Amino acid sequence: MGKSEDERASVAAAQADRGESAVFVLGVRHHGPGSARSVVRALEAIGPDSVLIEGPPDADSLIPLAADPAMKPPVALLVYRADRPRSAAFYPFASFSPEWRAIVFALDRGISVRFMDSPFAVRGFDDESNEEPVDSEPADKSDHDDTNKSKESENQESFNSRRAPRVDPLQELALAAGYDDGEEWWEDVVEHRRDGADRFDSIVEAMAEIRSAFADRSDDPDERIREASMRQIIRSEQAEGRKRIVVVCGAWHAPALVPRAWPKAKDDAGLLKGLKKIKTAATWIPWTHGRLTRASGYGAGIASPGWYEHLWTVPDRVVDRWMTKTARLLRNEGLDASSASVIDAVRLADAIAALRGKASPGLGELVEATRAVFYFNNDIPLQLIHKKLIVGETIGGVPSSTPHAPLRDDFERLRKRLRLVASPDPTTRTLDLRDPNDLERSRLFHRLSLMEIEWAVLTYANTKGTFKEAWGLEWRPEFEIDLIEAGGWGSTIVDAATAKACDRADRVSDLPRLAELVDRTIVADLAAAIEPIIKRFENTAAVVGDVDQLMNALPPMANLARYGDVRGSNNHIIEHATDAMIARICINLPPACLALDDDAANTTFEAIVKADSAIRLINKPEHIHDWTDALFKIALAERTHRKVAGRCCRTLFDARAIEANEVERRMSLDVSATVEPDRAAAWIEGFFKGNGDLLYHDDALFAIVDDWLESISNDSFINLAPILRRTFADLDAPLRRNLGEKAKELGDSRRARGSRGEALKPTTAATIGRTEADLDRHEFDASRAALVAPLVARLLGLEYIGNDRNQEIKEEMKWKN
């Protein structure tokens, strides 16, 4: 049995009278209301003059901020490498964390409090670092022989070879107690208790037994070094004359920190000798209940932060208050939850707990009662309860006096001025760029995106009107690291985004990506970056010989024009570059379209579509004239790939540059019996792909295609069918059905006139894609079906029943398993 609080106080007083230093080890789970109550009760009884918390000593200077009224858990310590912020660690605290309650207790009473663990300056070391080890001056110079150097290297190597825990102590203890789940056992024994009973000596004994029984599976070099660091810090507190030292640590470490189990000080010093150190920095950041869960990837996570906070905060009648809170949530969401249901659910939870031999209902019993009473085993409302109550949506806050990097401070200033909430819940923010505040918000989002901080993700930007944007916002704690890391580019958001954009431009040689970067820089309103990036774009465009690259780079440049009025950006700085690009495209495109293979033709086809849209968006008469002239040359050139020629002809027709009779003339030349079938099919694909309405509404064009299909041989048709089907595959189903009907009507008309006899092939309808209803209207040919029916029956593992040959043809097919 563990000592009571009075016994602890008596032991501490007796040792203090003898001038001895007493060390009280309180082993806890890192986040739990029962552990937190026990820690507070033990601290009150002991009256310590020093409190040591498992945590990074690098952050000792930040502990006093926990007493600031503006500090609202959940929060986390962020410790990171000063030279590479991406190498970082989070140390979360909730209001019900035992370590947090110990910190608050010590600060409220003016008691010395500090962290104890391996410093992140050591634990954050990795093989990418070029840091040299920093050692204190050895007492004996002879320590620096080859043997000791080998030992130092071994220490660092063993520290870096971290392994996951090989034994789960809670699970082993739970099995011994008759439980299946270690978490459930710990909650019943410790966390659900509200009396704050002192069980710390029992925890030390239990963990010592587990460590001894599973010594071969629990040995971890990382843990040995961490525990040696903790003992050394305790020794340093003793050396400073502390008489009552309370240690709050994870239950697993507790047996190793009890003084009677300590190894010699020189052995611990030997373990720590030679570990390399790095320069670190630390800060407090807001945290969330969702990030405290195991599902978030947090190694020490818990399943139900919201439930634990409820256990910590409510003074009494835990079950009644929880069910009331559940009913209130359901009502707010428009779901039924009566007072009678609350009473029934409480009674049912009590009954379930009694059947299971529990003193009071736990979360499992409450969930089962809620499911049974409120929604009759419907799990959908429980998903809402789990998200908003069991896990919870609480987000913490830190005081403004918390030290941050300058870039982080600038971000916070902008966020508050623009009334933006850094919420962990996904939200959508629609901006009207005609509003000055929304315009500033848009610029901030675009600048963060350039810095690769994806707090806001653009989900919609109106391409017809220039005033609307929709952004999806979801704040994650990792963005704190991103802001620290981006601080290397500048101390403000504008400076950092400008430097980042210019650096990216210097490292990009692909013209479309450069054009996209120009677009993003202008919409982010980075005036200092626009000119050098435009210059980089112009220089790259001047030497690019690939016309497809120029055409693919044109749309982002054309899109910049739409931001001129709304964003207040000056478009004249890109007009020169755009004019030069279009001139080069119009000159070089016709010869570039000659003698293309199929793959190159597909690439050029897509690029022409993009370039046409961009040039018409810019809408300068001189550009339209040059572009139209280039398309005419491509459409008329004999050596132009027919798919490209067909697209150019269609583009000219859509722009009213040629009349319908000219299209019919061109099609009759390119799609006829005298033209190789694959060339004709390519022209049809280029002309109709993506827009087949014209084929349905123009009878002359439809007749040309139908006549051509009727003229080709069966072998050629089989080879061309995939191309033609691909051409019409992206048309709407109603349009494909209408085209099939039109082909069938044309075939029926020809049969009636006898122009094609009975040999007419249903090629046009089959190519375009008739519906199943169209196929069902065809007469069933029983004789043809009878030829394959026996084979199909064998393939399906069925027995085919038939009489003689004539009966198979005349009678309906019959099947028997």
Side-chain angles (χ1 to χ4, degrees):
M1 296 295 292
K3 299 183 181 69
S4 68
E5 288 81 2
D6 293 338
E7 290 174 321
R8 285 185 181 277
S10 298
V11 170
Q15 289 181 309
D17 292 340
R18 295 194 301 267
E20 299 175 0
S21 175
V23 177
F24 301 90
V25 179
L26 310 183
V28 300
R29 187 169 65 171
H30 289 301
H31 307 291
S35 296
R37 285 192 175 87
S38 296
V39 164
V40 173
R41 291 282 298 275
L43 289 170
E44 290 173 344
I46 295 168
D49 56 3
S50 175
V51 176
L52 299 179
I53 311 295
E54 181 182 337
D58 319 63
D60 278 347
S61 62
L62 297 176
I63 291 178
L65 286 172
D68 193 307
M71 185 74 81
K72 304 293 183 184
V75 294
L77 280 171
L78 169 60
V79 186
Y80 57 94
R81 289 185 56 156
D83 62 335
R84 190 165 63 249
R86 185 59 54 189
S87 178
F90 298 99
Y91 299 84
F93 298 88
S95 61
F96 49 80
S97 298
E99 297 90 341
W100 182 258
R101 302 323 310 177
I103 290 173
V104 172
F105 179 93
L107 293 176
D108 287 347
R109 292 160 177 77
I111 299 171
S112 171
V113 56
R114 57 183 291 197
F115 289 120
M116 59 160 198
D117 203 338
S118 295
F120 188 77
V122 172
R123 303 181 71 196
F125 177 86
D126 57 46
D127 293 337
E128 298 179 19
S129 173
N130 294 319
E131 297 285 342
E132 293 296 327
V134 179
D135 295 321
S136 59
E137 186 69 13
D140 184 355
K141 296 291 184 180
S142 65
D143 287 346
H144 278 271
D145 58 15
D146 292 340
T147 302
N148 284 324
K149 289 181 180 178
S150 175
K151 180 66 174 177
E152 294 174 9
S153 175
E154 180 183 341
N155 287 346
Q156 185 65 58
E157 182 179 355
S158 67
F159 186 83
N160 289 335
S161 60
R162 300 174 187 170
R163 294 188 291 269
R166 296 170 181 163
V167 59
D168 183 348
L170 297 188
Q171 185 65 27
E172 299 299 331
L173 292 171
L175 293 175
Y179 282 72
D180 294 328
D181 180 57
E183 291 292 325
E184 182 183 0
W185 170 80
W186 181 270
E187 289 189 1
D188 287 347
V189 173
V190 178
E191 304 307 343
H192 288 171
R193 297 183 65 92
R194 301 181 59 80
D195 55 8
D198 185 343
R199 294 174 175 262
F200 295 115
D201 287 344
S202 299
I203 290 173
V204 170
E205 293 173 10
M207 291 300 167
E209 288 296 324
I210 294 294
R211 290 172 68 120
S212 175
F214 297 94
D216 56 332
R217 294 170 52 196
S218 59
D219 183 53
D220 188 337
D222 185 2
E223 295 300 312
R224 290 201 307 269
I225 291 177
R226 291 183 62 195
E227 289 169 355
S229 298
M230 295 179 188
R231 289 190 291 266
Q232 290 293 72
I233 292 175
I234 297 173
R235 290 186 179 106
S236 69
E237 288 292 288
Q238 292 175 326
E240 292 179 8
R242 309 293 185 188
K243 299 302 181 183
R244 299 182 182 184
I245 302 172
V246 171
V247 174
V248 182
C249 63
W252 177 256
H253 300 295
L257 302 183
V258 175
R260 64 175 179 270
W262 287 3
K264 295 180 180 179
K266 67 177 183 179
D267 293 335
D268 283 341
L271 275 176
L272 302 177
K273 189 174 184 179
L275 296 179
K276 298 179 180 180
K277 297 180 181 178
I278 54 176
K279 186 177 180 180
T280 63
T283 185
W284 287 104
I285 63 171
W287 206 247
T288 68
H289 274 177
R291 300 292 296 185
L292 283 170
T293 61
R294 288 192 297 270
S296 70
Y298 174 37
I302 54 179
S304 49
W307 165 246
Y308 274 10
E309 185 177 48
H310 177 77
L311 289 176
W312 174 255
T313 55
V314 299
D316 53 18
R317 303 179 67 181
V318 175
V319 176
D320 300 9
R321 294 176 187 274
W322 177 263
M323 283 300 180
T324 301
K325 188 183 295 185
T326 299
R328 185 181 300 115
L329 169 65
L330 294 174
R331 290 172 192 149
N332 290 340
E333 297 293 332
L335 301 173
D336 292 334
S338 66
S339 300
S341 296
V342 172
I343 296 171
D344 289 343
V346 170
R347 290 174 176 171
L348 179 57
D350 287 334
I352 295 173
L355 288 173
R356 294 174 177 173
K358 294 185 176 182
S360 62
L363 182 60
E365 289 73 33
L366 294 175
V367 169
E368 292 180 27
T370 301
R371 180 192 289 116
V373 172
F374 284 98
Y375 289 101
F376 303 102
N377 294 322
N378 184 353
D379 285 340
I380 295 178
L382 285 179
Q383 296 174 8
L384 175 67
I385 295 171
H386 181 271
K387 177 183 178 182
K388 295 196 173 184
L389 286 186
I390 296 176
V391 173
E393 299 178 327
T394 304
I395 183 170
V398 299
S400 57
S401 57
T402 303
H404 291 297
L407 181 67
R408 172 63 166 71
D409 289 337
D410 186 58
F411 168 78
E412 279 298 302
R413 179 184 59 81
L414 290 171
R415 184 184 66 79
K416 292 177 180 178
R417 182 171 66 83
L418 296 175
R419 296 190 295 278
L420 295 169
V421 178
S423 170
D425 297 322
T427 57
T428 299
R429 189 71 178 256
T430 301
L431 305 181
D432 184 341
L433 302 183
R434 297 169 296 186
D435 177 80
N437 283 332
D438 275 355
L439 181 57
E440 282 298 308
R441 295 182 183 110
S442 173
R443 287 170 176 165
L444 173 62
F445 295 158
H446 280 291
R447 289 166 184 172
L448 291 174
S449 179
L450 276 169
M451 296 159 60
E452 300 178 354
I453 302 174
E454 301 297 333
W455 171 36
V457 177
L458 186 64
T459 59
Y460 173 79
N462 198 341
T463 57
K464 296 181 179 179
T466 63
F467 59 86
K468 186 177 181 181
E469 284 182 348
W471 294 82
L473 279 70
E474 182 180 3
W475 181 260
R476 298 194 300 272
E478 291 84 354
F479 294 148
E480 298 281 352
I481 299 177
D482 294 336
L483 286 167
I484 294 170
E485 194 171 36
W489 297 102
S491 58
T492 67
I493 296 294
V494 171
D495 291 344
T498 298
K500 183 76 171 180
C502 291
D503 177 75
R504 185 177 299 175
D506 291 339
R507 293 183 288 107
V508 171
S509 58
D510 181 70
L511 197 60
R513 290 175 60 194
L514 271 174
E516 180 187 2
L517 183 59
V518 171
D519 188 8
R520 296 177 64 188
T521 304
I522 288 182
V523 298
D525 194 27
L526 301 176
I530 293 173
E531 185 173 349
I533 294 177
I534 288 288
K535 181 61 68 175
R536 167 72 172 163
F537 177 84
E538 289 178 330
N539 293 339
T540 303
V543 298
V544 167
D546 187 348
V547 181
D548 289 344
Q549 266 205 55
L550 289 169
M551 290 190 290
N552 286 324
L554 191 57
M557 301 295 288
N559 287 340
L560 295 176
R562 74 179 184 219
Y563 291 108
D565 295 332
V566 176
R567 293 185 178 274
S569 304
N570 294 320
N571 289 356
H572 69 275
I573 60 176
I574 65 167
E575 287 183 359
H576 176 73
T578 305
D579 291 345
M581 283 178 64
I582 295 176
R584 292 188 62 201
I585 290 171
C586 294
I587 293 172
N588 296 326
L589 182 58
C593 292
L594 302 177
L596 295 175
D597 60 21
D598 290 341
D599 291 339
N602 290 333
T603 302
T604 301
F605 174 93
E606 299 295 339
I608 288 175
V609 173
K610 294 178 182 179
D612 179 72
S613 176
I615 290 172
R616 300 194 187 283
L617 179 62
I618 296 173
N619 200 28
K620 286 188 176 182
E622 60 271 25
H623 294 337
I624 299 294
H625 177 271
D626 293 343
W627 178 243
T628 301
D629 185 57
L631 295 179
F632 266 116
K633 293 177 181 177
I634 298 169
L636 297 175
E638 182 63 25
R639 293 175 56 210
T640 297
H641 193 286
R642 293 295 88 190
K643 181 175 181 178
V644 176
R647 169 48 58 183
C648 291
C649 186
R650 179 57 184 267
T651 302
L652 291 169
F653 177 74
D654 289 343
R656 304 295 186 267
I658 56 176
E659 300 296 333
N661 58 354
E662 176 61 19
V663 173
E664 294 169 8
R665 188 183 73 81
R666 291 302 312 168
M667 182 178 284
S668 64
L669 294 175
D670 283 285
V671 182
S672 67
T674 61
V675 178
E676 294 180 10
D678 57 342
R679 285 174 58 86
W683 196 96
I684 289 175
E685 181 181 11
F687 189 89
F688 289 110
K689 186 173 177 59
N691 191 346
D693 295 63
L694 185 62
L695 184 62
Y696 176 73
H697 293 292
D698 194 311
D699 292 338
L701 295 182
F702 190 93
I704 293 172
V705 175
D706 189 71
D707 287 340
W708 171 69
L709 287 171
E710 287 294 326
S711 69
I712 62 178
S713 66
N714 287 334
D715 290 341
S716 296
F717 177 77
I718 292 173
N719 293 331
L720 295 177
I723 299 176
L724 297 171
R725 295 283 287 180
R726 183 176 66 237
T727 301
F728 300 103
D730 55 353
L731 301 182
D732 294 337
L735 178 59
R736 292 201 305 271
R737 182 174 60 250
N738 292 338
L739 289 170
E741 291 285 355
K742 188 168 184 175
K744 184 176 182 299
E745 292 171 3
L746 181 60
D748 292 343
S749 174
R750 285 173 172 168
R751 287 190 182 92
R753 296 195 308 268
S755 61
R756 296 284 181 182
E758 295 301 322
L760 181 70
K761 300 191 296 292
T763 49
T764 305
T767 300
I768 294 171
R770 290 177 300 181
T771 63
E772 293 182 2
D774 297 325
L775 297 175
D776 290 341
R777 282 194 284 270
H778 257 310
E779 181 181 354
F780 177 70
D781 190 338
S783 62
R784 295 181 64 193
L787 296 176
V788 299
L791 178 59
V792 173
R794 290 180 60 189
L795 292 174
L796 297 177
L798 305 173
E799 180 183 355
Y800 175 66
I801 304 300
N803 297 322
D804 56 16
R805 171 73 171 169
N806 293 332
Q807 189 68 17
E808 292 176 4
I809 296 175
K810 295 178 181 179
E811 290 190 351
E812 184 177 357
M813 314 303 295
K814 299 178 181 179
W815 305 91
K816 178 182 179 182
N817 286 331

